[in-house]
Amino acid sequence: MENIVLSIDGQKVSCPPGTSVLEAAEQHGIKIPKLCYHPDLKPYGACRLCLVEDEKTGRLMASCVTPAASNMVIRTATPRIINHRRNIARLMIAEHPESCVVCSKGNHCQLRLIASQLGIGETKLHPMPNYKTLEQANPFIIRDLSKCILCGKCIRADHELVFVGAIDYNRRGFRSRPATVHDQALEKSNCTVCGTCLSMCPTGALSPKNRTYVGSPARESIAICGFCGVGCSLAMGAAGEKIVEVKPAQRPDSVNRATLCVRGHFAHDFLNVSNRLVSPLVRPNGNRRPAQLVPASWDEALEVIAKRLADIKSVNGPQSIAFLGSSKCTNEENYLLQKFARALIGTNSVDNGGYIFGQSRLRSFDERTAGGGRVNPLRGLERAEAIVVLGADPGHSLPVVGYYLKRAAGQGIPLVLVNPRRTELVNSAALWLRLQPQTDLELLNGLTALLHTKEGYDSGFIDRYTEGFSIFRYSLSALDLERVCRVTDIDRRQLDAAADLLHGKKIAFVVGQGILQQKGGQHSLNALLNLALMTGSLGKEGTGLYMLAKENNQAGALDMGAAPDRFPGRQSLKDDRVRKQWEQAWKVKLSPDQGLNLARMIMEAEKGNLKALYVMGENPLRALPATERVQKALQKLDFLVVQDILECETTRMADVVLPGAAFCEKDGSFTNLEGRIQSFSTVVPPPGHAKPDWEILDRLMAKMKNGCGYGSLEKIRAEIRQRVPMYAELDGRRQGWLRATSSKVIFGADGADGLISFSPMVSVDEPVKDEDYPFTAIFGSMRYHLGSGTRTGASRRIQELELSSEIEISPQDAAGLNFKEGEAVNVISRHGAVGAKVRLKTGILPGQIFAPLAVRGNTAMNLIGLSDLAPADSPGWKTCQVTLKPA
Amino acid sequence: MNPLEIDWNRLNAIIAKHRGEKWGLIPLLQDIQETIGFIPPESMEPIAHALNLHPSQVQGVVTFYAGFSLKPKGKWVLRACRGTACHVKGSRGILRLMKKELGLEEGETSPDYQFTLETVACLGACFLAPTMMVNRDYFGKLNPTKVTSILAQYGKEKGDE
Ligand code: SF4
Ligand code: SF4
Ligand code: SF4
Ligand code: FES
Ligand code: FES
């Protein structure tokens, strides 16, 4: 369609049809005051401050809701308009309370700003503040609705962006206010405390609760959230050397735009807690436990490490040393750490915390697709033809992904939800397949077979890009659908309904820890890829597999080679050509043999084979199952180095502790779950003597080889860019994307004809009833905590919630066991026992319980046995059989 | 009848009748208001689920319209007109009398759920000012005697507490 041409303040302006007068003006640098308009929200026209005049007709109109039309002659600031605007603003202020002068919104208040721009001091109107409620019981958001100007932004943000619907207008006219159902406090409603409404509010009606700082931050810088794998862009407000406020950065090209979640918005107060590590610590007396940890200089501490590692290497060999990289540290830091292990020490025993979330299981997936499909922007979900969500509760684990999904479903995109538990996505789902835990594989097989029978496959795609379909389809025809229904506990009609919803569509799969950590997860991933191949759901926007990375740089740490079986770029150790390249680059001999993964490091330490462990930014003692076993294993080590930001269970066991920097205290880059590489710079300096982790590693490595280090981050980046083609865009720009390097043509024009093969069908065993441990415990996350909860647990605001260890149980089972809401019980598995309080939940099926992880002081991980997740037959860490006893 | 005890069977039947209707919220609410006499606050969640809305949206609509009430009302809802025409003709005194006779303030309901007293801005029958309504019946050209006899007609004896 042709552009519309109009005149605004005498300037010829052209814009596409559908643009509002306000947007057309803004695009041409003409500013119009506005309070209720936001580019991400539907226009609303509530505040009337954006009034403009059409010279031809003399009509006044709200420019945000008036579409530009050709030949309009718009004036945005005639005396008449200004007079009207002034009156509107005066009325708003007359209704405002006197506490305005001490409002915590301070200089961020847009009402105040506009009033002063319009030259309003005294309103000369009878003041008529009309509403009394001040609500500040929750630790996050203060609601002072006497300052509400009814712009509706909070409500629209809540409905249109995060899709929660916690608030809406109540009553009408003068008494109208945004309210929760039954007018309860926010924390009693279904509000997720994401704070999106808060950062939208133009006045002090909604403001963040901040105990340690009053007023507006002195400066604001952009950073990337250090919690989950979404990688939201933050605007971090600092005063002095402390972060005092966090808001969404509101960048149009960011993942989250105007949204955030409770962690990103509020939990960053953990940065300022008293148990931050501020100085290197060593143990005197030849550095042995049980001597106390005492502060030391950097030189001293690094000297001890260099010497001890060299000694251990010469006495016990390089294989007696292992390195644990971090799914929370930057790409550059993980690259250095694995180089430390491989090039300097000579071991492939290097892993990262992503292991805990099943990251290592992506290997066969990566291999089959040759690393293709890694770049998958979330915005594609809003353009998908159909979405299947498996083993994921993004509303809690990766809330921003949850928003994308709910918005997609809100647009009418069919969403099939596969989950044994009721989650917040159920309301958005076209179909909820409530299968038995750990039977996803069977369900996927059944769905694939059913779609095959109904001819819901893409022959063109199969012929062009895949191989082995003719054999695979035999197994599909042979599949016993009755057994599928029996094992999964999904009835045939539902399975048919799912197949009908997906028939003929290209599918986007959203895959969470429920699949990655589960028993047989590897097979489930293979089955997923089979289904994706058969339906042609790969290689195009809005299709393929969205792997939910639980921690912010889980994907990047793996890309950087912080894994026992892969070089940087997710290249195989076994590939001779690749290994040669790295040998040349690093001028050392490299071993093709896989090193120890995280679970095996613990097992080898237990046996006494592993002598030294270098941990960067992880708290294995809290994050792994079987705490006691892990603790004993770590005690057996000759030497434990922990480099971290907070004092924690693991640092207390260390022989040397090195204080690192949190994500906003250093330069670096993270790669999010979409394959977006986001570089960032320092917002505030690290506390005390703490240093950026890359600098620590650089100095230590230089010391060990008696040479000099990189000295700058850019030099490390240059090496990565040169050696890891995937990361060619890691050049310090705010945003780049992984470069496609797949050899499969489906993922990019430069791919060769490499076909992707269907993998043979595998079935799960029929479950046998476990008489001694009759309940299946499902482990999962809560939105207030991330990972093992070390950082979120240190946040004062999160602490104030006083979450306690709870398990969720169905009312039927509770009645059968005679348990009451809130009653203390013991949960016992073959591996351990923990105490917890009972919560009755209708969203849980009888025979199952849900145990949230990472809550402060919670030890639910102890119910799971420590097993290696890598083998295909691993029991997994997602569920286990338990029994319940009164405490 | 204890109006606080909600008849969930009837309520659920009404909700089920409108389930999935995209524009069904107002008819559904009217249906409940008529049948049950008010919109039980606990019903807002199930209503929202049935129509695929947020409960807060349902509440927004319920509290917007004066015709919906979240509190149970009396068997007889008396509405005194406080519009301009009626005011000129002395509706203030009429209201005062009604308050006194019923022992209720505006917006209140008697403990036995017989009477609810409300005011409206104009009943649209100004030629009959001052006016009032009892449920759906209009009464005009009111004077104190007439008011007392109307109240008596609905079972409110003078001085009968
Ligand atoms: S904090 Fe988030 S969920 Fe709660 S009302 Fe605001 S936008 Fe809605
Ligand atoms: S609370 Fe804030 S955002 Fe919400 S309507 Fe009032 S002024 Fe607008
Ligand atoms: S935790 Fe995840 S979803 Fe929440 S703000 Fe941070 S990156 Fe975004
Ligand atoms: S910005 Fe246009 S009416 Fe508020
Ligand atoms: S003013 Fe009373 S009926 Fe119109």
Side-chain angles (χ1 to χ4, degrees), chain A residues 471-490:
Chain A
I471 303 171
F472 178 64
R473 66 196 305 176
Y474 275 119
S475 49
L476 288 180
S477 329
L479 191 77
D480 176 358
L481 280 175
E482 254 171 53
R483 180 178 182 273
V484 169
C485 292
R486 193 170 64 238
V487 173
T488 57
D489 201 19
I490 299 286

PDB file of all heavy atoms in Angstrom, chain A residues 471-490:
ATOM      1  N   ILE A 471      12.292 -46.726   6.351  1.00  0.00           N
ATOM      2  CA  ILE A 471      12.416 -47.710   7.440  1.00  0.00           C
ATOM      3  C   ILE A 471      11.630 -47.236   8.653  1.00  0.00           C
ATOM      4  O   ILE A 471      10.895 -47.983   9.275  1.00  0.00           O
ATOM      5  CB  ILE A 471      13.897 -47.914   7.827  1.00  0.00           C
ATOM      6  CG1 ILE A 471      14.682 -48.338   6.596  1.00  0.00           C
ATOM      7  CG2 ILE A 471      14.020 -48.947   8.946  1.00  0.00           C
ATOM      8  CD1 ILE A 471      16.168 -48.354   6.785  1.00  0.00           C
ATOM      9  N   PHE A 472      11.775 -45.932   8.934  1.00  0.00           N
ATOM     10  CA  PHE A 472      11.121 -45.371  10.105  1.00  0.00           C
ATOM     11  C   PHE A 472       9.615 -45.583  10.035  1.00  0.00           C
ATOM     12  O   PHE A 472       8.959 -45.924  11.020  1.00  0.00           O
ATOM     13  CB  PHE A 472      11.460 -43.884  10.208  1.00  0.00           C
ATOM     14  CG  PHE A 472      10.812 -43.176  11.356  1.00  0.00           C
ATOM     15  CD1 PHE A 472      11.115 -43.509  12.661  1.00  0.00           C
ATOM     16  CD2 PHE A 472       9.872 -42.166  11.129  1.00  0.00           C
ATOM     17  CE1 PHE A 472      10.514 -42.859  13.728  1.00  0.00           C
ATOM     18  CE2 PHE A 472       9.267 -41.521  12.189  1.00  0.00           C
ATOM     19  CZ  PHE A 472       9.582 -41.860  13.483  1.00  0.00           C
ATOM     20  N   ARG A 473       9.027 -45.434   8.836  1.00  0.00           N
ATOM     21  CA  ARG A 473       7.572 -45.527   8.768  1.00  0.00           C
ATOM     22  C   ARG A 473       7.075 -46.942   9.053  1.00  0.00           C
ATOM     23  O   ARG A 473       5.927 -47.125   9.433  1.00  0.00           O
ATOM     24  CB  ARG A 473       7.028 -44.965   7.459  1.00  0.00           C
ATOM     25  CG  ARG A 473       7.408 -45.730   6.216  1.00  0.00           C
ATOM     26  CD  ARG A 473       7.166 -44.915   4.967  1.00  0.00           C
ATOM     27  NE  ARG A 473       5.807 -44.420   4.858  1.00  0.00           N
ATOM     28  CZ  ARG A 473       5.394 -43.613   3.868  1.00  0.00           C
ATOM     29  NH1 ARG A 473       6.242 -43.211   2.951  1.00  0.00           N
ATOM     30  NH2 ARG A 473       4.150 -43.226   3.795  1.00  0.00           N
ATOM     31  N   TYR A 474       7.947 -47.923   8.847  1.00  0.00           N
ATOM     32  CA  TYR A 474       7.550 -49.286   9.241  1.00  0.00           C
ATOM     33  C   TYR A 474       7.267 -49.351  10.733  1.00  0.00           C
ATOM     34  O   TYR A 474       6.265 -49.888  11.191  1.00  0.00           O
ATOM     35  CB  TYR A 474       8.652 -50.305   8.907  1.00  0.00           C
ATOM     36  CG  TYR A 474       8.570 -50.798   7.487  1.00  0.00           C
ATOM     37  CD1 TYR A 474       9.613 -50.589   6.611  1.00  0.00           C
ATOM     38  CD2 TYR A 474       7.424 -51.480   7.048  1.00  0.00           C
ATOM     39  CE1 TYR A 474       9.533 -51.015   5.294  1.00  0.00           C
ATOM     40  CE2 TYR A 474       7.338 -51.909   5.736  1.00  0.00           C
ATOM     41  CZ  TYR A 474       8.388 -51.663   4.863  1.00  0.00           C
ATOM     42  OH  TYR A 474       8.291 -52.086   3.576  1.00  0.00           O
ATOM     43  N   SER A 475       8.226 -48.765  11.482  1.00  0.00           N
ATOM     44  CA  SER A 475       8.033 -48.828  12.932  1.00  0.00           C
ATOM     45  C   SER A 475       6.803 -48.022  13.342  1.00  0.00           C
ATOM     46  O   SER A 475       6.133 -48.347  14.308  1.00  0.00           O
ATOM     47  CB  SER A 475       9.285 -48.358  13.668  1.00  0.00           C
ATOM     48  OG  SER A 475       9.732 -47.137  13.155  1.00  0.00           O
ATOM     49  N   LEU A 476       6.491 -46.985  12.568  1.00  0.00           N
ATOM     50  CA  LEU A 476       5.281 -46.218  12.881  1.00  0.00           C
ATOM     51  C   LEU A 476       4.040 -47.067  12.686  1.00  0.00           C
ATOM     52  O   LEU A 476       3.131 -47.093  13.526  1.00  0.00           O
ATOM     53  CB  LEU A 476       5.186 -44.977  11.988  1.00  0.00           C
ATOM     54  CG  LEU A 476       6.167 -43.832  12.262  1.00  0.00           C
ATOM     55  CD1 LEU A 476       5.929 -42.697  11.291  1.00  0.00           C
ATOM     56  CD2 LEU A 476       6.047 -43.336  13.703  1.00  0.00           C
ATOM     57  N   SER A 477       3.999 -47.781  11.562  1.00  0.00           N
ATOM     58  CA  SER A 477       2.810 -48.596  11.308  1.00  0.00           C
ATOM     59  C   SER A 477       2.700 -49.718  12.323  1.00  0.00           C
ATOM     60  O   SER A 477       1.599 -50.178  12.625  1.00  0.00           O
ATOM     61  CB  SER A 477       2.846 -49.205   9.906  1.00  0.00           C
ATOM     62  OG  SER A 477       3.527 -48.361   9.030  1.00  0.00           O
ATOM     63  N   ALA A 478       3.851 -50.150  12.827  1.00  0.00           N
ATOM     64  CA  ALA A 478       3.814 -51.290  13.759  1.00  0.00           C
ATOM     65  C   ALA A 478       3.495 -50.864  15.184  1.00  0.00           C
ATOM     66  O   ALA A 478       3.262 -51.705  16.051  1.00  0.00           O
ATOM     67  CB  ALA A 478       5.166 -52.010  13.728  1.00  0.00           C
ATOM     68  N   LEU A 479       3.474 -49.569  15.433  1.00  0.00           N
ATOM     69  CA  LEU A 479       3.306 -49.109  16.819  1.00  0.00           C
ATOM     70  C   LEU A 479       1.915 -49.449  17.353  1.00  0.00           C
ATOM     71  O   LEU A 479       0.909 -49.271  16.684  1.00  0.00           O
ATOM     72  CB  LEU A 479       3.526 -47.594  16.895  1.00  0.00           C
ATOM     73  CG  LEU A 479       3.626 -47.066  18.319  1.00  0.00           C
ATOM     74  CD1 LEU A 479       4.980 -47.380  18.921  1.00  0.00           C
ATOM     75  CD2 LEU A 479       3.383 -45.560  18.354  1.00  0.00           C
ATOM     76  N   ASP A 480       1.908 -49.928  18.579  1.00  0.00           N
ATOM     77  CA  ASP A 480       0.647 -50.326  19.208  1.00  0.00           C
ATOM     78  C   ASP A 480       0.058 -49.106  19.932  1.00  0.00           C
ATOM     79  O   ASP A 480       0.476 -48.750  21.025  1.00  0.00           O
ATOM     80  CB  ASP A 480       0.943 -51.467  20.189  1.00  0.00           C
ATOM     81  CG  ASP A 480      -0.294 -51.891  20.970  1.00  0.00           C
ATOM     82  OD1 ASP A 480      -1.364 -51.267  20.779  1.00  0.00           O
ATOM     83  OD2 ASP A 480      -0.164 -52.842  21.771  1.00  0.00           O
ATOM     84  N   LEU A 481      -0.918 -48.442  19.297  1.00  0.00           N
ATOM     85  CA  LEU A 481      -1.462 -47.203  19.863  1.00  0.00           C
ATOM     86  C   LEU A 481      -2.195 -47.445  21.177  1.00  0.00           C
ATOM     87  O   LEU A 481      -2.250 -46.570  22.038  1.00  0.00           O
ATOM     88  CB  LEU A 481      -2.375 -46.514  18.861  1.00  0.00           C
ATOM     89  CG  LEU A 481      -1.627 -45.714  17.780  1.00  0.00           C
ATOM     90  CD1 LEU A 481      -2.603 -45.171  16.745  1.00  0.00           C
ATOM     91  CD2 LEU A 481      -0.822 -44.574  18.378  1.00  0.00           C
ATOM     92  N   GLU A 482      -2.750 -48.640  21.294  1.00  0.00           N
ATOM     93  CA  GLU A 482      -3.441 -48.940  22.559  1.00  0.00           C
ATOM     94  C   GLU A 482      -2.463 -48.920  23.723  1.00  0.00           C
ATOM     95  O   GLU A 482      -2.767 -48.437  24.809  1.00  0.00           O
ATOM     96  CB  GLU A 482      -4.080 -50.324  22.486  1.00  0.00           C
ATOM     97  CG  GLU A 482      -5.580 -50.239  22.326  1.00  0.00           C
ATOM     98  CD  GLU A 482      -6.164 -51.599  22.048  1.00  0.00           C
ATOM     99  OE1 GLU A 482      -5.882 -52.536  22.834  1.00  0.00           O
ATOM    100  OE2 GLU A 482      -6.860 -51.715  21.024  1.00  0.00           O
ATOM    101  N   ARG A 483      -1.280 -49.450  23.453  1.00  0.00           N
ATOM    102  CA  ARG A 483      -0.266 -49.460  24.501  1.00  0.00           C
ATOM    103  C   ARG A 483       0.156 -48.020  24.822  1.00  0.00           C
ATOM    104  O   ARG A 483       0.325 -47.649  25.972  1.00  0.00           O
ATOM    105  CB  ARG A 483       0.945 -50.287  24.039  1.00  0.00           C
ATOM    106  CG  ARG A 483       2.041 -50.361  25.068  1.00  0.00           C
ATOM    107  CD  ARG A 483       3.205 -51.214  24.608  1.00  0.00           C
ATOM    108  NE  ARG A 483       4.210 -51.293  25.660  1.00  0.00           N
ATOM    109  CZ  ARG A 483       5.188 -50.408  25.825  1.00  0.00           C
ATOM    110  NH1 ARG A 483       5.279 -49.390  25.010  1.00  0.00           N
ATOM    111  NH2 ARG A 483       6.050 -50.562  26.818  1.00  0.00           N
ATOM    112  N   VAL A 484       0.293 -47.216  23.776  1.00  0.00           N
ATOM    113  CA  VAL A 484       0.652 -45.815  23.984  1.00  0.00           C
ATOM    114  C   VAL A 484      -0.349 -45.166  24.940  1.00  0.00           C
ATOM    115  O   VAL A 484       0.024 -44.504  25.913  1.00  0.00           O
ATOM    116  CB  VAL A 484       0.682 -45.054  22.639  1.00  0.00           C
ATOM    117  CG1 VAL A 484       0.789 -43.556  22.874  1.00  0.00           C
ATOM    118  CG2 VAL A 484       1.817 -45.551  21.773  1.00  0.00           C
ATOM    119  N   CYS A 485      -1.626 -45.386  24.664  1.00  0.00           N
ATOM    120  CA  CYS A 485      -2.660 -44.773  25.491  1.00  0.00           C
ATOM    121  C   CYS A 485      -2.594 -45.304  26.922  1.00  0.00           C
ATOM    122  O   CYS A 485      -2.789 -44.555  27.879  1.00  0.00           O
ATOM    123  CB  CYS A 485      -4.041 -45.021  24.911  1.00  0.00           C
ATOM    124  SG  CYS A 485      -4.267 -44.153  23.355  1.00  0.00           S
ATOM    125  N   ARG A 486      -2.307 -46.581  27.043  1.00  0.00           N
ATOM    126  CA  ARG A 486      -2.263 -47.181  28.374  1.00  0.00           C
ATOM    127  C   ARG A 486      -1.076 -46.624  29.170  1.00  0.00           C
ATOM    128  O   ARG A 486      -1.223 -46.205  30.309  1.00  0.00           O
ATOM    129  CB  ARG A 486      -2.150 -48.703  28.228  1.00  0.00           C
ATOM    130  CG  ARG A 486      -2.400 -49.471  29.505  1.00  0.00           C
ATOM    131  CD  ARG A 486      -2.507 -50.958  29.210  1.00  0.00           C
ATOM    132  NE  ARG A 486      -1.255 -51.507  28.687  1.00  0.00           N
ATOM    133  CZ  ARG A 486      -1.155 -52.123  27.516  1.00  0.00           C
ATOM    134  NH1 ARG A 486      -2.206 -52.262  26.714  1.00  0.00           N
ATOM    135  NH2 ARG A 486       0.017 -52.600  27.110  1.00  0.00           N
ATOM    136  N   VAL A 487       0.081 -46.592  28.534  1.00  0.00           N
ATOM    137  CA  VAL A 487       1.278 -46.149  29.250  1.00  0.00           C
ATOM    138  C   VAL A 487       1.199 -44.668  29.604  1.00  0.00           C
ATOM    139  O   VAL A 487       1.552 -44.251  30.699  1.00  0.00           O
ATOM    140  CB  VAL A 487       2.545 -46.428  28.405  1.00  0.00           C
ATOM    141  CG1 VAL A 487       3.780 -45.822  29.062  1.00  0.00           C
ATOM    142  CG2 VAL A 487       2.719 -47.917  28.203  1.00  0.00           C
ATOM    143  N   THR A 488       0.712 -43.873  28.671  1.00  0.00           N
ATOM    144  CA  THR A 488       0.697 -42.431  28.927  1.00  0.00           C
ATOM    145  C   THR A 488      -0.523 -42.014  29.739  1.00  0.00           C
ATOM    146  O   THR A 488      -0.550 -40.923  30.296  1.00  0.00           O
ATOM    147  CB  THR A 488       0.660 -41.643  27.605  1.00  0.00           C
ATOM    148  OG1 THR A 488      -0.484 -42.068  26.873  1.00  0.00           O
ATOM    149  CG2 THR A 488       1.916 -41.849  26.805  1.00  0.00           C
ATOM    150  N   ASP A 489      -1.549 -42.862  29.748  1.00  0.00           N
ATOM    151  CA  ASP A 489      -2.813 -42.537  30.390  1.00  0.00           C
ATOM    152  C   ASP A 489      -3.537 -41.397  29.663  1.00  0.00           C
ATOM    153  O   ASP A 489      -4.230 -40.579  30.271  1.00  0.00           O
ATOM    154  CB  ASP A 489      -2.579 -42.174  31.871  1.00  0.00           C
ATOM    155  CG  ASP A 489      -3.862 -42.324  32.674  1.00  0.00           C
ATOM    156  OD1 ASP A 489      -4.766 -43.019  32.176  1.00  0.00           O
ATOM    157  OD2 ASP A 489      -3.962 -41.744  33.760  1.00  0.00           O
ATOM    158  N   ILE A 490      -3.327 -41.347  28.361  1.00  0.00           N
ATOM    159  CA  ILE A 490      -4.037 -40.362  27.535  1.00  0.00           C
ATOM    160  C   ILE A 490      -5.036 -41.151  26.704  1.00  0.00           C
ATOM    161  O   ILE A 490      -4.661 -42.139  26.071  1.00  0.00           O
ATOM    162  CB  ILE A 490      -3.047 -39.658  26.569  1.00  0.00           C
ATOM    163  CG1 ILE A 490      -1.968 -38.905  27.331  1.00  0.00           C
ATOM    164  CG2 ILE A 490      -3.780 -38.755  25.599  1.00  0.00           C
ATOM    165  CD1 ILE A 490      -2.405 -37.647  27.982  1.00  0.00           C
TER     166      ILE A 490
END
